[in-house]
Amino acid sequence: MMNLWKGFVWIRICGGEQERFLNLCRAKGIILEKLFFTQGELWATVSTKDFFRLSHVRRKAKVHIHILKKQGMPFFFLRLKKRKAFFLGILLCISILIFFSGHIWNIHIEGNVKNSSGQILDFLAKQNVYHGMSIRQVDCSFLAGQIRKEFTNMIWVAVRREGTQLLISVKEGISKEEPEKEQIPYSLASGLDGEIVRMITRAGTPLVKTGDICEKGQLLVQGQVELVNDSQEITGYDYVCADADIFVRHEISYYDQFSMKNKQAVYTGERKKGFFIKAGPFFWMWGTSQKQDSSRFTEEQKICLTENFVLPISYGFAIDEKYRIQTRILTDKEARKKAVLHIQQFEKKLLKKDIEVMENKVKIKTDQENCTASGNLVVIEKTGIRVPVEKRGSNILK
């Protein structure tokens, strides 16, 4: 490695007194390495420093020295002396690496379940913490305190920096809810027409029971509790915020219609593969260009110098697969299957809203042009609209 750094040359020694030449080199302290003898000639390597000391020894031993090869860093830079762009490229590369190593290019959040990463990143942006910011601007302890203050259900937050990554580890627990302010008493009214199938009252006076038929706007739980004495006489009223789980069975209408002509993409098997480079907001693609009649599948890989040194540069491959739109008439079986699938998707949306589907009364009809699904769905839905309490009497014992 030292020879490569300082530089060395391969030389060939022929003619004259070669044995005397070696003895003189030994006496002068000139080191010859990788020395071997072939066809009456000596071959060896010598450092650039010792090479310039061989002139006196060469004259005494009357030998001829031929330079075969020059190797090492001094000769490398000497050959590239006229290529100024090469050195500028090295300086530019070093400058870019220094710039990249001084900024945050990846914010990693782990341990969050209730609070999405998008919400946390939006909050960090308000705190001027974003991808590409300078490392010097990151105050980990202050940032951890701000996150705990904003997201009250986080019982533990740790922020640390590793390389060009900002790692945020959180642990969520029970929300620290602020004590509720005094609320105005209210009752619960029905927001639906139907039959009450389940009812659990926690606060207030129920006015209906399971099995009763209710109408929209009808009062179900009154936010008023009677106060009685030992003789069971009403002495006053206490007004509360009504609280109850009331479930009503009712019907909702369903209608869906789609054409029997089905358009679908049929892939031709023709593919084009391209290579792309992405640097921040810039994007370069070679080998393919996406058209309207093709689908693109991409595979992207970020460039990391080390495990935690992530650069804002990525590369990958893109495959454009050509297709054509084919129109065909659905059979009666296929149309009904598609209609059932639409109904199931609609029921899933209802379940996400905590609406339970009990019975399906939808009928499916097909003709040459369209497939129509219409009817009703019997569902169980939670109801309870807050309405102000009409006070009467006094809530103070007489």
Side-chain angles (χ1 to χ4, degrees):
M1 295 301 295
M2 291 302 297
N3 286 340
L4 286 173
W5 178 255
K6 294 180 179 180
F8 65 94
V9 294
W10 276 95
I11 60 174
R12 184 180 64 186
I13 306 155
C14 55
E17 301 176 17
Q18 298 177 10
E19 187 176 350
R20 186 186 179 190
F21 173 81
L22 294 176
N23 291 332
L24 289 172
C25 287
R26 183 187 179 194
K28 294 287 184 179
I30 299 174
I31 300 175
L32 300 176
E33 298 182 10
K34 299 182 181 180
L35 183 67
F36 65 92
F37 183 80
T38 176
Q39 297 179 359
E41 296 176 343
L42 287 173
W43 292 52
T45 62
V46 61
S47 65
T48 53
K49 182 180 178 181
D50 288 341
F51 177 78
F52 293 105
R53 298 170 58 196
L54 289 176
S55 58
H56 181 68
V57 177
R58 177 185 60 80
R59 286 194 298 268
K60 280 190 174 183
K62 299 178 181 180
V63 296
H64 299 283
I65 299 177
H66 301 277
I67 299 176
L68 302 176
K69 192 176 182 181
K70 301 176 183 179
Q71 289 183 319
M73 294 300 293
F75 302 110
F76 175 73
F77 286 110
L78 188 63
R79 287 194 297 269
L80 298 176
K81 187 176 181 180
K82 296 182 180 180
R83 301 182 181 179
K84 297 179 181 179
F86 176 79
F87 293 100
L88 291 176
I90 292 177
L91 292 176
L92 180 61
C93 182
I94 294 174
S95 301
I96 291 174
L97 289 178
I98 293 174
F99 172 78
F100 284 161
S101 61
H103 292 72
I104 297 295
W105 298 111
N106 184 31
I107 300 176
H108 179 70
I109 304 170
E110 59 184 7
N112 58 312
V113 177
K114 297 180 181 178
N115 303 287
S116 66
S117 297
Q119 290 177 329
I120 299 175
L121 289 175
D122 290 341
F123 172 73
L124 293 178
K126 295 178 182 178
Q127 302 296 318
N128 294 323
V129 177
Y130 50 89
H131 292 88
M133 69 175 296
S134 175
I135 287 177
R136 297 179 181 179
Q137 298 176 358
V138 179
D139 188 343
C140 295
S141 57
F142 174 77
L143 188 58
Q146 292 298 108
I147 294 175
R148 284 195 300 269
K149 186 177 179 180
E150 176 68 18
F151 301 95
T152 56
N153 63 337
M154 293 184 182
I155 60 177
W156 179 78
V157 179
V159 180
R160 67 184 189 278
R161 182 180 60 81
E162 292 185 5
T164 59
Q165 289 194 109
L166 186 64
L167 304 179
I168 302 175
S169 302
V170 303
K171 187 176 181 181
E172 298 174 338
I174 301 175
S175 301
K176 299 179 181 178
E177 298 180 353
E178 296 181 358
E180 292 185 0
K181 298 180 181 179
E182 186 177 354
Q183 296 183 355
I184 300 175
Y186 57 82
S187 302
L188 294 178
S190 175
L192 303 168
D193 294 331
E195 178 187 356
I196 298 174
V197 293
R198 292 196 300 272
M199 184 172 179
I200 302 173
T201 305
R202 287 181 286 271
T205 303
L207 303 179
V208 293
K209 62 182 182 298
T210 302
D212 289 351
I213 304 298
C214 64
E215 297 179 356
K216 187 174 182 180
Q218 179 182 346
L219 205 62
L220 303 179
V221 180
Q222 193 172 29
Q224 173 183 287
V225 179
E226 296 178 348
L227 301 176
V228 297
N229 56 17
D230 295 338
S231 302
Q232 301 300 313
E233 297 176 346
I234 299 174
T235 59
Y237 299 95
D238 188 17
Y239 298 98
V240 299
C241 297
D243 184 14
D245 292 335
I246 308 168
F247 295 90
V248 176
R249 178 164 56 194
H250 66 106
E251 293 186 359
I252 59 175
S253 60
Y254 176 84
Y255 182 83
D256 178 40
Q257 186 180 69
F258 55 88
S259 174
M260 294 291 285
K261 296 179 181 180
N262 183 40
K263 295 182 179 181
Q264 59 182 7
V266 179
Y267 289 95
T268 61
E270 183 181 347
R271 293 185 177 185
K272 286 186 178 181
K273 189 174 183 181
F275 177 78
F276 69 86
I277 295 177
K278 185 178 178 182
F282 302 102
F283 183 85
W284 298 274
M285 170 71 74
W286 296 274
T288 183
S289 57
Q290 189 175 12
K291 299 179 180 179
Q292 293 183 352
D293 57 347
S294 63
S295 298
R296 172 166 290 180
F297 307 92
T298 59
E299 182 179 351
E300 185 176 350
Q301 179 67 40
K302 287 189 174 181
I303 297 178
C304 305
L305 295 185
T306 63
E307 181 181 359
N308 295 318
F309 192 169
V310 183
L311 299 179
I313 302 174
S314 59
Y315 67 93
F317 298 93
I319 299 176
D320 291 340
E321 190 169 356
K322 195 172 182 181
Y323 65 86
R324 67 175 185 272
I325 301 298
Q326 186 177 14
T327 303
R328 57 182 293 269
I329 304 299
L330 295 175
T331 62
D332 183 75
K333 185 177 180 181
E334 290 174 339
R336 290 181 178 275
K337 186 177 180 180
K338 186 176 180 179
V340 171
L341 181 62
H342 288 184
I343 296 172
Q344 292 174 349
Q345 291 173 349
F346 181 75
E347 290 178 352
K348 288 181 180 179
K349 292 180 181 179
L350 293 178
L351 286 174
K352 289 181 180 179
K353 298 178 182 179
D354 294 329
I355 300 176
E356 184 181 356
V357 179
M358 299 301 297
E359 187 178 353
N360 185 342
K361 296 182 179 180
V362 178
K363 294 183 179 180
I364 302 173
K365 296 180 180 179
T366 60
D367 54 34
Q368 295 180 352
E369 297 293 333
N370 300 308
C371 175
T372 305
S374 60
N376 296 324
L377 293 174
V378 180
V379 299
I380 295 178
E381 185 177 354
K382 187 177 179 180
T383 188
I385 302 175
R386 296 180 181 181
V387 294
V389 176
E390 296 181 3
K391 295 185 179 181
R392 60 179 180 176
S394 174
N395 61 340
I396 302 176
L397 289 172
K398 296 180 180 179

